[in-house]
Amino acid sequence: MSVVSHLINGELVESKRTLDVTNPSTGKVIRQVADANVADVERAITAAQEAFPAWRDTPPAKRAQVMYRFKQLLEENANRLVQLVSEEHGKTPEDAMGELKRGIENVEYACGVPELLKGEYSHNVGPGIDAWSNFQPLGVVVGITPFNFPAMVPLWMYPMAIACGNTFILKPSEKDPSAAMAVAELLQEAGLPKGVMNVVHGGREAVETLLDAKAVKAISFVGSTPVAEAIYSRGSAAGKRVQALGGAKNHAVVLPDADLENAANTLMGAAYGSCGERCMAISVAVCVGDETADRLVETLLPKIAQLKVGPGTKRDLDMGPLVTAEHRDKVLGYIEDGVKAGATLVADGRDLQVPGYEEGYFVGGCLFDNVTAEMRIYQEEIFGPVLCVVRVGSLDDAMHLINDHEYGNGTCLFTRDGEAARRFTDGIEVGMVGVNVPLPVPVAYHSFGGWKRSLFGDLHAYGPDSVRFYTRRKAVSQRWPSVSEATRAEFSFPNNQS
Ligand code: NAD
């Protein structure tokens, strides 16, 4: 059986330990992935440390040339990468292509790094003194990524980190490591010097070794909230810069004036696309008024019944399986819990069978009506094909509900009323907001991030914030007095007021 190796100092490196990688559509182990121990991780850190001085001194325009070649290689290899994503994650090929294309957009943005790194300059800030700020790389930086976007989320991080002059160590999800690894190998092929990009595979031991290493200057993490919070605390206590993006519970508010057919169609994709395994998936529809809720449920039910579910590798389907048997059981546990708590399960996908794929981790689309704020299915992230309808009396009630929730990643308002939309976008305590756009994932030149317990740290992922995250500012004041200029000691603090 083949093994996905580490990539350290430009070489494929095997590991003493391995973990199983499963195809969730069949339930079969299809390959192994290396499981790094402390020594493997330290080797990657040394490689990244040694590659840093020369890469830091490489002109940004030359670094950008590597990114141009990388983008081209990603496009040429897109079908192979999509197949790896679908095989190990279970999402449909069309969805996997969508994720890859959004990832490539981050490479395109990184191609502009010479422009993005232009500093700030002020002439004559004092007598004969010029001042400027420039943005210098940090050194060795690390990315730790989740299973649900195995190609795209790593691309949120290292194209910009590397374009800014840092060296990088990626620790992808051990559940679906092949696409992340294949993408990293393409970056190597694009002409990156050895050691600038490294990949170590594994789990907690690998992550903790990276978190504690003195040479690691910054960590970008994307994953579940408990792990994000732990990584933020441990990394920042060790003096590192950390951005840790966590879980979500994303609400879509449906006002009585909304175009219901449009809302229902777009909600279908936002709730059930990728089997609900997206941090921006809509998992709660908050309907203002019982009539709106009744109409929305009525419109959704036949669409849910028609969802085409099957193996991730097949085309023209709407949804594949969940990622692991353990995760499928967790999602089924939440559904059971919702029924026991008194919510009305109006669409039940628990008994779905996919002929020929009986061992796959499939769950069909589920819809709960009459969900209330005290229920676990409302409070916690399910990360499966489960949409909850909560009924409220007004837009204000909907906004209070959302603002009281611990997560604040994404949200959306369906309406035709501009005044209501303005009130919502102004007052809602959520990082990414859509108006009639249920998946308001910012494009690569805007940054991505939630509020509250969906993000620990200050700067968001990719876009302009990533340039700031992967660099530190240096302010330089410079004076070249002429030889004839008389100088004398000045003891008052220099200023321009007198
Ligand atoms: P996860 O937290 O289980 O794993 C994420 C990464 O952390 C993996 O690389 C994993 O190996 C590592 N890890 C797991 N447990 C660890 C531990 N105890 N100590 C150290 N490292 C550990 O997340 P997942 O299940 O892979 O991904 C799904 C989660 O990610 C969901 O909660 C989803 O909302 C979230 N997510 C958030 C965003 C966002 O932008 N906010 C984007 C994608 C996914």
Side-chain angles (χ1 to χ4, degrees):
M1 193 168 277
S2 66
V3 180
V4 184
S5 311
H6 307 301
L7 175 70
I8 300 176
N9 206 24
E11 311 288 337
L12 295 179
V13 174
E14 288 182 7
S15 198
K16 285 197 183 118
R17 299 182 310 203
T18 56
L19 299 163
D20 289 344
V21 180
T22 305
N23 177 340
S25 302
T26 61
K28 293 208 163 54
V29 174
I30 48 171
R31 56 183 70 93
Q32 307 268 298
V33 61
D35 179 13
N37 59 19
V38 172
D40 295 329
V41 177
E42 284 175 347
R43 206 167 147 185
I45 294 170
T46 303
Q49 253 182 313
E50 288 175 355
F52 177 61
W55 186 244
R56 175 195 56 204
D57 292 341
T58 302
K62 281 205 164 165
R63 295 188 215 131
Q65 290 302 322
V66 178
M67 292 299 154
Y68 281 110
R69 287 194 290 275
F70 181 39
K71 169 181 148 59
Q72 196 180 344
L73 286 171
L74 285 168
E75 286 166 350
E76 286 166 10
N77 287 274
N79 289 333
R80 177 170 67 89
L81 298 171
V82 159
Q83 196 194 338
L84 289 172
V85 171
S86 294
E87 188 183 33
E88 293 183 357
H89 174 284
K91 66 176 71 174
T92 66
E94 294 86 348
D95 192 25
M97 186 60 91
E99 106 158 69
L100 181 65
K101 287 187 172 166
R102 290 299 291 260
I104 292 173
E105 287 174 12
N106 291 279
V107 182
E108 290 170 355
Y109 186 64
C111 289
V113 77
E115 171 71 21
L116 296 168
L117 286 181
K118 273 201 314 206
E120 298 154 349
Y121 177 82
S122 297
H123 184 68
N124 235 14
V125 294
I129 301 176
D130 305 323
W132 68 88
S133 298
N134 63 13
F135 299 95
Q136 300 194 336
L138 306 173
V140 179
V141 305
V142 160
I144 300 158
T145 53
F147 80 84
N148 68 322
F149 285 104
M152 180 182 77
V153 170
L155 290 171
W156 285 1
M157 301 173 179
Y158 64 78
M160 186 54 79
I162 287 175
C164 286
N166 300 284
T167 55
F168 202 88
I169 303 171
L170 174 69
K171 208 302 282 169
S173 171
E174 65 280 27
K175 292 176 189 145
D176 48 9
S178 294
M181 184 64 183
V183 171
E185 286 183 73
L186 291 176
L187 177 56
Q188 201 63 57
E189 198 183 322
L192 200 69
K194 288 180 176 186
V196 175
M197 173 70 191
N198 304 275
V199 184
V200 291
H201 298 282
R204 191 171 180 161
E205 185 177 334
V207 171
E208 290 182 346
T209 310
L210 290 165
L211 277 180
D212 296 341
K214 232 178 164 171
V216 171
K217 301 299 178 203
I219 294 167
S220 295
F221 172 88
V222 177
S224 59
T225 286
V227 183
E229 190 168 30
I231 287 199
Y232 183 77
S233 308
R234 190 159 167 168
S236 45
K240 301 179 197 317
R241 191 178 284 187
V242 187
Q243 55 177 187
L245 282 71
K249 194 80 180 175
N250 305 311
H251 302 67
V253 179
V254 186
L255 291 188
D257 73 337
D259 174 342
L260 248 286
E261 184 59 27
N262 171 57
N265 276 334
T266 56
L267 268 178
M268 285 299 296
Y272 302 110
S274 200
C275 212
E277 292 171 319
R278 290 179 182 147
C279 67
M280 289 292 277
I282 292 290
S283 49
V284 185
V286 187
C287 295
V288 174
D290 282 331
E291 201 195 321
T292 310
D294 291 342
R295 280 169 52 222
L296 182 73
V297 170
E298 220 170 85
T299 317
L300 285 172
L301 281 175
K303 297 179 194 293
I304 295 170
Q306 284 162 20
L307 275 171
K308 289 180 276 169
V309 187
T313 41
K314 225 170 168 179
R315 302 196 77 83
D316 297 322
L317 296 175
D318 300 319
M319 226 165 79
L322 289 163
V323 70
T324 57
E326 189 191 7
H327 187 54
R328 187 234 3 237
D329 294 346
K330 188 173 163 195
V331 170
L332 292 176
Y334 273 115
I335 299 168
E336 191 59 42
D337 193 85
V339 172
K340 280 197 190 133
T344 324
L345 185 60
V346 289
D348 184 353
R350 286 178 292 181
D351 293 331
L352 178 91
Q353 287 292 322
V354 178
Y357 295 88
E358 285 74 15
E359 302 304 314
Y361 312 136
F362 295 98
V363 176
C366 296
L367 182 66
F368 273 112
D369 195 357
N370 301 307
V371 174
T372 56
E374 310 75 50
M375 295 179 184
R376 264 183 76 222
I377 54 165
Y378 172 74
Q379 290 169 352
E380 297 178 16
E381 182 182 47
I382 299 175
F383 225 53
V386 184
L387 179 63
C388 297
V389 173
V390 178
R391 295 166 176 244
V392 295
S394 66
L395 175 59
D396 281 344
D397 292 345
M399 289 176 64
H400 283 307
L401 183 80
I402 297 171
N403 289 349
D404 282 348
H405 203 286
E406 66 169 318
Y407 294 125
N409 216 38
T411 189
C412 168
L413 178 71
F414 287 105
T415 184
R416 291 177 163 113
D417 178 347
E419 186 189 345
R422 189 167 190 278
R423 185 145 59 91
F424 184 77
T425 53
D426 261 5
I428 208 72
E429 289 176 26
V430 173
M432 293 170 282
V433 184
V435 175
N436 300 314
V437 176
L439 285 181
V441 178
V443 289
Y445 39 98
H446 289 258
S447 297
F448 177 109
W451 286 11
K452 300 186 275 186
R453 290 174 60 76
S454 292
L455 186 145
F456 302 88
D458 301 310
L459 291 169
H460 288 195
Y462 68 77
D465 272 16
S466 69
V467 183
R468 293 291 173 265
F469 185 79
Y470 294 123
T471 58
R472 53 188 169 172
R473 178 187 290 265
K474 183 172 279 178
V476 181
S477 302
Q478 183 169 273
R479 180 178 184 206
W480 292 102
S482 80
V483 277
S484 57
E485 210 175 307
T487 56
R488 61 187 171 85
E490 287 278 1
F491 296 97
S492 56
F493 203 65
N495 68 84
N496 278 319
Q497 301 305 313
S498 46

